[in-house]
Amino acid sequence: MPFSHLTHLSCTKCGKTYDPAALLNVCKEPGCGGSLFAEYDLPRLSREDTASRDRTIWRWHELMPARTPEDIITLGEGGTPLLHARRLGARLSLPDVWIKEEAGNPTGSFKARGLGAAVTMAKALGAKAIALPTAGNAGGAAAAYAAKAGLPCHVFMPRDTPKVFRLECEAYGAKVTLVDGLIDDCGRIVAQRKEAEGWFDVSTLKEPYRVEGKKTMGYELAEQFGWTLPDVIIYPTGGGTGLIGMWKAFDEMERLGWIGAKRPRMISVQAEGCAPIPKAFAEGKDVSVRFENAHTYASGLRVPKAYADYLVLKILRESKGEAVTITDDEMRRGVNELASSEGLYAAPEGGAAWEAVKKLLAAQKLQPTERVVVFDTGTGYKYID
Amino acid sequence: MPFSHLTHLSCTKCGKTYDPAALLNVCKEPGCGGSLFAEYDLPRLSREDTASRDRTIWRWHELMPARTPEDIITLGEGGTPLLHARRLGARLSLPDVWIKEEAGNPTGSFKARGLGAAVTMAKALGAKAIALPTAGNAGGAAAAYAAKAGLPCHVFMPRDTPKVFRLECEAYGAKVTLVDGLIDDCGRIVAQRKEAEGWFDVSTLKEPYRVEGKKTMGYELAEQFGWTLPDVIIYPTGGGTGLIGMWKAFDEMERLGWIGAKRPRMISVQAEGCAPIPKAFAEGKDVSVRFENAHTYASGLRVPKAYADYLVLKILRESKGEAVTITDDEMRRGVNELASSEGLYAAPEGGAAWEAVKKLLAAQKLQPTERVVVFDTGTGYKYID
């Protein structure tokens, strides 16, 4: 059996397919530019086959893109805990609420999953350097995997991003450029310069493999609940890669015969100061409009327009989900509650997701008996002062 | 088969045994005060039985103290990666060198293992509040598990400990007292006040279970190397609980038939500014003398006299190990190398352990073909500014 069953890439907009042996960004059809998904010839693989493997994202290597074990650049990403929030759940009369705690990943956030996969594939397919825009944690993750891979890394971040996010990139040896603007302005600079500089652009959903790394959160959730899925998943959404990845994982697992057809309601959480997805969702739009004057202290949520917003919005609708906005003050309250009652020092994004539970309960969009998973996407230690 | 095979506690100094149903600190024999070890009636348990269990410290529950699954207070501690340091190893012509990366634990350090176990047992055995001295990471870990357990937590730390260590404790709801002195001065305050206040003292090696949590590093290492042990383990040593715990684990695993009689050389690393163990080791002493004017930026190494120094020194000698001192400048260099070449943003303690590799090589106390494990005991993010 081959190590990976990857067969081709397919465009999520127009369906055009590509050979995965080439280093690709997005669909090349004129006027398309859709995000590419990795497609697999599904292996005969049982859940039990994977049970005793190492708890990294490469545990499901048959459904991952690396062609050989030697290609893998790993810092041990994935295999994060799913914690029963008993004390806070009791307070809300929502006894079956859980936190998927992503803070323990390398570089302190879920970004390690996506960038571990992307850097692995970039290196394997011949990239000589990588570049990306970041609103916060993605830069450090990219820089760390690039260091491990021996690849130069160029990070572009808004000038007003908290200093810790710059310092970590520099510690990992990346070249950081501060930009007067937001993450999409940074992304434009990468796009303009990459050809001349020889950089491979690892912007989220502008290359096929970050979503593959992130989809492993879906595999882990299913396993941690004994191969069932929860009723509701509450997910703080910047670029939306994890939400998109998990939805892809659910389909793969159903085709593998590992889970049934039931799907969770997917809830996207954004900041009140930067809420393109809730706005588009409320207006019934298929794509979002750039959110002007975007502001929130949750760096990871300061994404005024996600490249694959069309996929996020499609999943929210298909899953009968919701999109929720949370203020920065509410996030701070959420962070405090998670720390003092559950022992988790969450990132503001995690605090936002927790506060969304309360909003959904108040709006009767959660039932007290439902099983709910809240994502804490990163450590709060980067924000401690 | 019972969930835990714990049978009794025994004093590591005088051998006196105790019933583990009571909440105990140290040996009560007049003039003894030895650290207590948990002893088990070894189960019939194969390595394969544990292969597909969750990767927490409770995976080896037969050899852990919690009496029932319901007793366990967990934040998902343990199951950390063992990473091959290929790039740095190549540079040193030491190709088989590995990093046991403890930064991904809850609260960002290996302290989560010990305090997860200690708080679990304190709560199960009826403690109403816990208290401890800390030089750095132990406070946050204790506070987080206490929050999860719903127990009040009282933390005593030197006034000049970096602010992040106080802030995290307070976020987890602990009461922090800053003390003009070092960790042993803090420990004295806990000892003086605990009876009147009704606190259970979870100082390291002054209760039996932190060492049980820490020993799981030894189980993990053996499994990660295919049930063999490395030739050398390099361990930054404050209180020394992990070194003591791993040595205990090796004996348990040999009695279980999981590993053979071979043992690694155990290398204790301390700061030049606080080196009671290297000093006592060099002088052939069985116990250390308090190190005066202790100073180092590696908070976790600022322990002028460890309570169980006699156990650390015994293990160093039994294993034909060493004790090494590292300056703060060397630690900073080690941190930089690990970040820029291996993608690991280590704590200064991890930087110290890495620098010890070079010192041992230079002194021809490591052979180029040996398999070496270096412990990075916590995240560098708490030190980033």
Side-chain angles (χ1 to χ4, degrees), chain B residues 42 214-223 225 227-235 242-267 315 318-319 373 375:
Chain B
L42 288 187
K214 284 278 188 71
K215 80 179 180 188
T216 58
M217 298 190 294
Y219 280 84
E220 290 179 20
L221 269 189
E223 184 190 40
F225 282 130
W227 302 104
T228 63
L229 297 180
D231 298 304
V232 176
I233 290 179
I234 301 182
Y235 191 84
L243 192 142
I244 295 166
M246 284 192 281
W247 199 250
K248 181 172 188 285
F250 300 152
D251 282 349
E252 289 173 0
M253 285 189 284
E254 187 180 356
R255 284 157 60 210
L256 283 161
W258 293 8
I259 62 168
K262 182 197 151 181
R263 292 291 182 275
R265 303 199 301 282
M266 304 296 278
I267 315 287
I315 292 164
E318 270 183 37
S319 76
V373 172
F375 270 80

Side-chain angles (χ1 to χ4, degrees), chain B residues 270 275-285 289 291 323 325:
Chain B
Q270 294 198 317
I277 296 290
K279 185 164 187 295
F281 186 77
E283 293 170 354
K285 301 278 174 61
V289 173
F291 202 90
T325 61

Side-chain angles (χ1 to χ4, degrees), chain A residues 9-39:
Chain A
L9 304 174
S10 73
C11 175
T12 55
K13 270 188 183 162
C14 76
K16 186 175 162 67
T17 62
Y18 294 88
D19 180 347
L23 190 62
L24 292 174
N25 284 109
V26 295
C27 182
K28 295 173 178 177
E29 279 297 289
C32 181
S35 300
L36 300 178
F37 265 13
E39 305 287 352

Side-chain angles (χ1 to χ4, degrees), chain A residues 168-184:
Chain A
E168 63 170 328
C169 292
E170 291 173 346
Y172 295 124
K175 172 80 172 66
V176 178
T177 305
L178 299 176
V179 174
D180 293 312
L182 291 174
I183 187 174
D184 50 352

Side-chain angles (χ1 to χ4, degrees), chain A residues 124-297:
Chain A
L125 298 176
K128 298 298 176 216
I130 62 167
L132 79 166
T134 183
N137 280 311
Y145 287 92
K148 180 91 177 170
L151 287 177
C153 178
H154 300 269
V155 178
F156 293 79
M157 66 174 65
R159 191 176 298 281
D160 55 357
T161 306
K163 193 174 64 167
V164 57
F165 295 109
R166 174 173 60 80
L167 294 177
E168 63 170 328
C169 292
E170 291 173 346
Y172 295 124
K175 172 80 172 66
V176 178
T177 305
L178 299 176
V179 174
D180 293 312
L182 291 174
I183 187 174
D184 50 352
D185 303 305
C186 297
R188 256 189 304 279
I189 296 174
V190 172
Q192 284 159 4
R193 292 181 55 187
K194 65 182 181 180
E195 206 151 347
E197 303 275 4
W199 300 336
F200 181 64
D201 182 355
V202 294
S203 298
T204 195
L205 288 151
K206 290 189 193 167
E207 64 75 54
Y209 301 115
R210 280 175 68 170
V211 76
E212 293 304 288
K214 283 278 186 72
K215 80 179 180 189
T216 58
M217 298 190 295
Y219 280 84
E220 289 178 20
L221 268 189
E223 184 189 41
Q224 287 169 317
F225 282 131
W227 303 104
T228 64
L229 297 180
D231 298 304
V232 176
I233 289 178
I234 301 182
Y235 191 83
T237 311
T241 320
L243 192 142
I244 294 166
M246 284 193 281
W247 198 250
K248 182 172 187 285
F250 300 155
D251 282 349
E252 289 173 359
M253 286 189 284
E254 187 179 356
R255 285 156 60 211
L256 284 163
W258 293 7
I259 63 169
K262 182 196 151 182
R263 293 289 181 277
R265 302 199 301 283
M266 304 296 279
I267 315 287
S268 169
V269 181
Q270 294 198 318
E272 194 172 272
C274 183
I277 297 290
K279 186 165 186 294
F281 185 78
E283 293 169 354
K285 301 279 174 61
D286 291 336
V287 294
S288 65
V289 173
R290 184 176 199 270
F291 202 89
E292 297 302 327
N293 302 315
H295 60 90
T296 167
Y297 95 110

